[in-house]
Every structure is written in C-alpha cells, then in structure tokens.
C-alpha cells in the first residue's frame, strides 16, 4: 500500500500541532508535509510582550526544522487548490516559481488576516498586532514617539506623540495596552522632558465591557487595574475614522494621536477567499469532525474554520472560538480523524470544553480563570507566565523566554530602536543580456518599467490579435496585469540586452493609480487596448496575503 500523502497548509498553531499529531498517529506510515510562508512558528500570545520589549522577536519564535522531525517543511506561498485533481499550487523560491503538490488528505490551517478597510483612514495609519513584524514595529514606534516628544517645542506635536490609542478591548487589545503602558512607564525616567501626566493611553471598545469572555469580577479587576495605571477605557465607543494625526470616535470625539493600534478587523486570508469553499462568517464551514463537506479528504481547523460544537449549531451559533487553546485540541482530533478515515473507520466529532482564560495586564498583574479557579494580581500574572513558558514549543525558546523574563526584573528595558531593512517599494534592478526576469506562471507581484536596455516578452498563450512576443525598450513597461489581481505571470520576460528596470510593488502602483487620475487613466486605456477592463475592486486595500 502506498503511504498516504497529507499536506498541511499554514504554519500557525493549527498547522504545527496537526503536523505533530499526525506524526504521532501515523509514525512512518504517512508522508506529511507542512507548507508555510515563513520558516518559523510564532507564539502569538507573546506578541504583546515582544511589542513591549520584555521578549525579543527572535525568541518568541522557533524554527519549524527544530520543531518538526520527520515532517517535510516547504517554505512557500499557497496560491490555489484544485480539489478535483487533489493538487495545491504554491509559489516557492526566489523566482516564486509555481509548483504543484499532490495530496491524499489536505488540511487547511491558513488563519485569518487583518482587514481595516471598513473604517476610513484606519488601514494606512494603524499599527496591527498579528505578526512578529507588527510587534517589532510597535515597540520601535512607541520608542520613536518618546524620543520625539522629548525634543519637540510644539505642544500639539507633543500631545499627539504622547497619546497612545488601542482599538479593541479583547484579549489582544488589553494585553497590548497593559504591556505598552509598562514599557512607557519604565522608560520615562530616561526622557527628562516628558512627564507621566502628559501621557494618555486610551482603549476604545465598542461593546459595553472589556475581556468579554472573562467572568465579571475578573473583568472589573482588569479595568480597575489598568485605570489605576492611567489607562482610559472608553466602553460603547468605537473608531469612526483615522488620519495620520487624529482619530474620530463613534461618539464624535476627536483625539490627537500618532499611535493607533488596531486589534480588530479579522477577515479571511485572501488565498482562502479565492478557494472554491463554503465560507460562513468569513470562515470555512466545516462539519463537526472538521472535514470540509463535499470536497473529499479536505479538512480545516483553527481561525480559518467555523467549527460547530453541537449538532445543528448553525441555529444556535455555538462555534469553537478562534483561540490557540482550541486550535491545539482541534489539531489532535483532526489527526485522529484522518487516521480513522485512512483505516476506513467512522470519524468522531470535535468536542472540547475550554479550560478557562488568562490575560496579562503588564506591570506584574494579570487575571486568570482556570478550571473554575479565579485569580487576580501577581499570582494570576505568574500563572500566565508559567503556563505560557510550559506551552511554548521548543526547549531553546523556553530557555530564552524564561531568561529574558528573569533579566527583565533586574535590568531596565532597552530603548534601542534598530531599523530593519525593508526593500523600497520602487527599486532598480540590473540584468545582463539573456537573464530571465520572470517566467510565465511565476507569481505576479510587481510592475516593470525599462530604464535602459531592452526586454523580450514572450507568451505561450497569446490573446487573439496579440503577438506571441514583443520587445520593450526604454520608457516602455510590462507586468501591468497584476492590477487586475492576476496572481500569475502570463508571459516570460528576459533581458534582450544589459538592462536596468524599475520595479514597483503592486500596493504602491495601486496607491499611485488611486491618487493621480492621469496615471490611472493612462493604464485604464492601456488595458482597454489589450481588451481588459480596469477592475472595480482595484484601489485601497490592506488585507495582506
Ligand atoms: C496578539 C495575540 C494574542 C493572542 N493570545 C492568545 C492567548 O493568550 N490564548 C489563546 O488561546 N489564543 C491567543 N491568540 C489567538 C491565537 O494566536 C490564534 O487563535 C491562533 O494563532 C490560530 O491559529 P491558526 O493556525 O488557525 O492561525 P495562525 O496562527 O494565524 O496561522 C496561520 C498560518 O497560515 C499562514 N498563511 C496564511 N496565508 C498563507 C499563504 N497564502 N501561504 C502560506 N502560508 C500562509 C500564516 O503565515 C500563518 O503562519 C492570540 C492572538 C493574537 C494575535
């Protein structure tokens, strides 16, 4: 019997723990492959601490190659799934070459993304708290605001710099604000021109309570603790709009602020939205055994799946919450069900009762409700840390995090703000004659203009009336189909001579098109000449792949 090939898409809690559980279920009896955009696992509950500098970014992560022995790890971007052919297409390598992976069982664990596009101005001006890069950026941003406030002579600039706003009073919002307040309070003695009473830290929560999943007493404690430390909590208040210097609340108040951290706005990952799958509330509607109905050996779990906890749950809205705690339990059940399916046995429904919830409030305070035991203050905070360090996958990560925490008790928080290099959105690239710029089928992510030299564009699939090859010289451009949302190149581009091109990222291209009407109408006409329409959906968007 050939070994079943099980492919897992996504390297978050759902993907990692499914890979581990499958390995336990099957041993060497299955080929297990994890497809992940990054080569490391991020322990998301530690992100607020990374954002406040008590844990460094690299230590809140672990490389998959340490965590997953005997599981093939493929660093690649998932593009699409052909459920009939049972293949996944991914983009991998420097050239983002499309590669097909076949599967007998497919596990979709691609999480969700942040989409702030529903609130005017929020997407371009807000910081988010979902990825390691977000947490790293928040820490640098807070330190920069303190640096700026310390030297400015303009009161309105100082006011904006020293007002820190967090949108959302759920777990990630409250933990982020608690940690951020601690970073600020512990740093102030190094900024002689900033006093504590000039600082405002605000949480906007649209509901009438923070930490909605917590019992009333713990919620009240958390609110009182934060307020005692100078955090203003505005309930029944959301964000209506944002600019680079101000936000407007749904109550009509204007707040001068240079820091808006949005912990709201979950949306399906674009790749999941593109799949031919039933989505309910933006998540993949799975059956109780975590299988995707009518797709044959396709399964889903974690934040991207809507998992009914009871039969007929649709009517009662009883679904598994999108938490790491649940994703880890779902992973075990999903792996056991794949093993049952492989043995032609009946699968079993996912069942799990939450063991409770904990939140760190920063400054060595927390709240915990674990198996009916309710704790507040230092003990709850200590329990939070002990639990997470025990749960953190990988021994080296546990040692590093623990040692950071111990050192954090006796040393000041570092205020070093290293700038990480991000490639410019518009950049020059040099090619020698004959070099391949991209190949037909590669992932499309930029727009090209020839500065010097010439580029030969050839296609194996010319449109009616279009030539199979053309030459583009200085001032000419190519690759503009990505405006249409095309994820793949429809032609191959090679340097016909020694050539310099300028490459512009899709996001920047779309911003220019949005801002400069002649730029947009030039490309609208250009696409029309090719028999293509400028898409209605082209424009402002921040939902990342
Ligand atoms: C700040 C914060 C604090 C939290 N604290 C807690 C907590 O204390 N307790 C708790 O239980 N839960 C907590 N959560 C929630 C928890 O982290 C999530 O529920 C959990 O991460 C969901 O796991 P997942 O595998 O479904 O999705 P994710 O962890 O989001 O993983 C999805 C993976 O898919 C990958 N991916 C997406 N698109 C592609 C693509 N096209 N190609 C390749 N890969 C792709 C992503 O890179 C990612 O690795 C917290 C979340 C945040 C943001």
């Amino acid at each position: 019997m050939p070994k079943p090939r099980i492919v897992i898409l996504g390297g978050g809690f759902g993907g990692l723990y499914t890979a581990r559980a499958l390995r336990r279920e099957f041993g060497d009896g299955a080929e297990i492959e994890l497809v992940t955009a990054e080569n490391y696992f991020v322990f998301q509950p530690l992100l607020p601490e990374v954002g406040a500098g008590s844990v460094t970014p690299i230590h809140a992560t672990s490389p998959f190659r340490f965590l997953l022995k005997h599981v093939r790890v493929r660093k690649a971007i998932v593009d699409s799934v052909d459920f009939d052919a049972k293949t996944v297409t991914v983009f991998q390598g420097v050239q983002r070459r499309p590669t097909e992976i076949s599967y007998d069982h497919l596990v979709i664990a691609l999480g969700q993304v942040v989409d702030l596009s529903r609130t005017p101005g929020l997407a371009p001006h807000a910081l988010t708290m979902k990825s390691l890069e977000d947490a790293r950026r928040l820490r640098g941003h807070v330190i920069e605001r303190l640096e700026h406030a310390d030297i400015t002579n303009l009161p309105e600039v100082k006011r904006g710099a020293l007002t820190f706003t967090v949108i959302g009073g759920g777990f990630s919002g409250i933990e982020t604000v608690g940690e951020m307040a601690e970073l600020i309070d512990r740093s102030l003695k190094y900024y002689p021109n900033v006093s504590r009473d000039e600082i405002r830290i605000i949480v906007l929560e649209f509901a009438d309570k923070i930490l909605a999943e917590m019992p009333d007493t713990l919620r009240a404690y958390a609110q009182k603790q934060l307020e005692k430390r100078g955090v203003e909590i505005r309930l029944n208040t959301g964000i209506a709009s944002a600019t680079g210097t101000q936000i407007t609340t749904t109550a009509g108040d204007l707040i001068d602020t240079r820091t808006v951290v949005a912990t709201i706005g979950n949306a399906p990952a674009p790749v999941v939205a593109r799949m031919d799958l039933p989505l309910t509330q933006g998540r993949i509607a799975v059956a109780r055994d975590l299988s995707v109905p009518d797709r044959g050996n396709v399964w889903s779990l974690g934040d991207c799946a809507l998992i009914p906890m009871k039969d007929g749950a649709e009517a009662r809205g009883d679904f598994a919450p999108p938490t790491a705690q649940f994703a880890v339990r779902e992973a075990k059940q999903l792996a056991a069900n794949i093993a049952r399916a492989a043995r032609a046995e009946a699968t079993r429904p996912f069942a799990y009762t939450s063991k409770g919830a904990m939140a760190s409030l920063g400054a060595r305070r927390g709240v915990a409700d674990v198996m009916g035991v309710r704790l507040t203050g230092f003990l709850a905070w200590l329990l939070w840390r002990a639990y997470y360090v025990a749960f953190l996958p990988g021994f080296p990560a546990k040692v590093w995090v623990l040692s950071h925490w111990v050192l954090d008790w006796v040393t000041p928080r570092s205020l070093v703000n290293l700038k990480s290099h991000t490639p410019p959105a518009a950049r020059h690239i040099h090619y020698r004659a004959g070099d391949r710029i991209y190949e037909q089928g590669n992932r499309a992510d930029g727009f090209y203009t020839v500065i010097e030299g010439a580029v030969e564009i050839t296609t194996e699939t010319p449109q009616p009336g279009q030539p199979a090859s053309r030459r583009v010289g200085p001032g000419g451009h190519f690759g503009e189909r990505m405006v249409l949302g095309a994820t793949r190149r429809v032609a191959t581009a090679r340097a016909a001579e020694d050539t310099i091109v300028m490459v512009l990222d899709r996001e920047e291209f779309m911003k220019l098109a949005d801002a400069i009407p002649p730029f947009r109408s030039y490309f609208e006409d250009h696409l029309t000449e090719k028999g293509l329409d400028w898409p209605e959906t082209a424009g402002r968007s921040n939902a990342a792949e």
Side-chain angles (χ1 to χ4, degrees), residues 275-280 283-286 292-293 295:
M275 288 177 188
D276 175 24
L277 286 175
L279 293 191
T280 308
R283 296 161 77 191
I284 302 168
V286 296
V292 180
R295 289 296 181 282

Side-chain angles (χ1 to χ4, degrees), residues 10-14 37 44-45 76 78 109-111 129 172 271 302-303 322-325 388:
F13 277 94
Q44 286 188 352
V78 180
L110 290 163
M129 189 41 103
S172 51
V271 59
D303 286 8
T323 64
Q325 185 186 161
Y388 280 115

Side-chain angles (χ1 to χ4, degrees), residues 9 12 80 99-100 104 129 244 248 252 269 293 320 338 362 374 377 388 412 418 427 433 473 486 499:
L9 308 182
S80 56
T99 304
E100 278 194 358
D104 297 308
M129 189 41 103
T248 311
I338 292 184
R374 291 177 188 175
Y388 280 115
L418 294 177
R427 54 203 178 273
T499 296

Side-chain angles (χ1 to χ4, degrees), residues 520-544:
R520 174 174 163 155
S521 62
Y522 169 80
F523 282 102
E524 268 180 337
D525 293 348
H526 181 71
L527 288 174
T528 307
E529 271 172 36
K530 293 184 162 188
L532 302 165
D533 290 330
W534 186 271
E536 281 299 310
T537 50
R540 288 159 242 178
S541 135
N542 79 324

